Amino acid sequence: MVAAASVVVAVGTATGMISALDDGRGSDEARLEVTESPEPQPVAPSPSPSLSASASPSPSPKKKASPTPSPTKTAKKQESAPVSTRLYRHPDSQVLEWVRDNPGDPRENVIESRIADQPAAVWFADYTPSTITSRVRAVTSGGAAQGRVPVVVAYAIPDRDCGGASEGGAPDLDAYDAWIDRFAAGLGSGEVVVILEPDSIAQSECLSDGQRADRFASLARAGRAFKDANPKARVYFDAGHSGWHPAAKQAELLRQAGAASAASSDGVFSNVSNFHRTADEIAYDRQVLDALGGPSSLGAVIDTSRNGNGAPADGEWCDPDGRKLGRTPTLTTGEARIDAYLWVKLPGESDGCKGSPGTFTPSYAYDLASS
């Protein structure tokens, strides 16, 4: 495994994740100007504009100490980042729960205004066939009711994370295919962005050739199932990130997984749970898309939730110090073939070094939001 890792640490239930994003032009820090023009929201979502690594995680990351902030209640009020008028903020997330439960905490204002107020992805990381349809439907119907676009993450592929910190998923690919069908049944008929299985393609070298081919066939099938169930669903496949595989290699893996076919795919996603600067991701994603081929409509979405300072020079992936939020989420990037900047990873959810893996850690969230 390579040192600079992209690790996705999941909790066992669907978690609403809050997001802030970068544009890659100059600083990747969260900016305070509005990134898209506010407009009245229709009852049903209108078609969205076109939406667009690190290495696999080390098995034993070295834990780094993190200084604990000592904010005071008299601290100057933190200015809020602009909130997307198009993306949906699901009302159930770890950060929102923490804000509701800790109104007197001196860090609460910063965390609420800079993180909790932002829309973010909702992860479905547990294999629960009996409830997956209703839980996905709760998110998509909530977005449709507000005329906003939800972002959902399907994360239950068998042999997930190659047995690493986020191991788990469905027991086998037949069970996974059935879970995907139930997931698709909850997508509704409005706009929705689907992030399909972070790390499932970039981190597939732990599989045998036969296992990899079977996984890729299931991913292609998943994309088709989502788009058949809801033609407005926009489905993105795993491109790792700019610090992982060369673009040509990643494109070949993506092609094998069906990402070049409009029947399965709207393009690729990169930088999930990682820290690489948006400018680097834009250049990388365009190289991947060029090498991938397929229709010109394919684009990329970039996770900019924690990349305001870029990736640490030492390649640390587990809650590294000195990181900060990127720009707030938007479906309007102004960049060709880059469909959206999203917060797929919730800022403040630990990778396992500053808190328990996958749990919201307020000290980490405060560090990111106040840097």
Side-chain angles (χ1 to χ4, degrees), residues 58-69:
S58 303
S60 302
K62 182 177 180 181
K63 183 171 180 178
K64 288 189 173 183
S66 172
T68 301

Side-chain angles (χ1 to χ4, degrees), residues 234-287:
R234 300 187 61 83
V235 182
Y236 294 88
F237 283 64
D238 171 39
H241 58 70
S242 58
W244 203 335
H245 298 307
K249 176 179 179 178
Q250 187 63 38
E252 177 55 32
L253 294 172
L254 283 158
R255 189 179 301 108
Q256 294 173 31
S261 169
S264 296
S265 169
D266 291 280
V268 303
F269 63 82
S270 71
N271 210 40
V272 168
S273 297
N274 218 276
F275 306 90
H276 295 273
R277 291 191 182 277
T278 307
D280 295 333
E281 294 305 298
I282 289 172
Y284 174 74
D285 288 343
R286 286 173 176 163
Q287 291 171 3

Side-chain angles (χ1 to χ4, degrees), residues 37 71 78 80 85 112 124 172 175 188 219-220 239 250 264 270 272 277 280 284 293 307 318-320 357:
S37 301
Q78 181 78 26
S80 299
T85 59
E112 180 177 22
F124 297 89
D172 55 52
L219 290 172
Q250 187 63 38
S264 296
S270 71
V272 168
R277 291 191 182 277
D280 295 333
Y284 174 74
N307 70 347
C318 186
D319 302 335

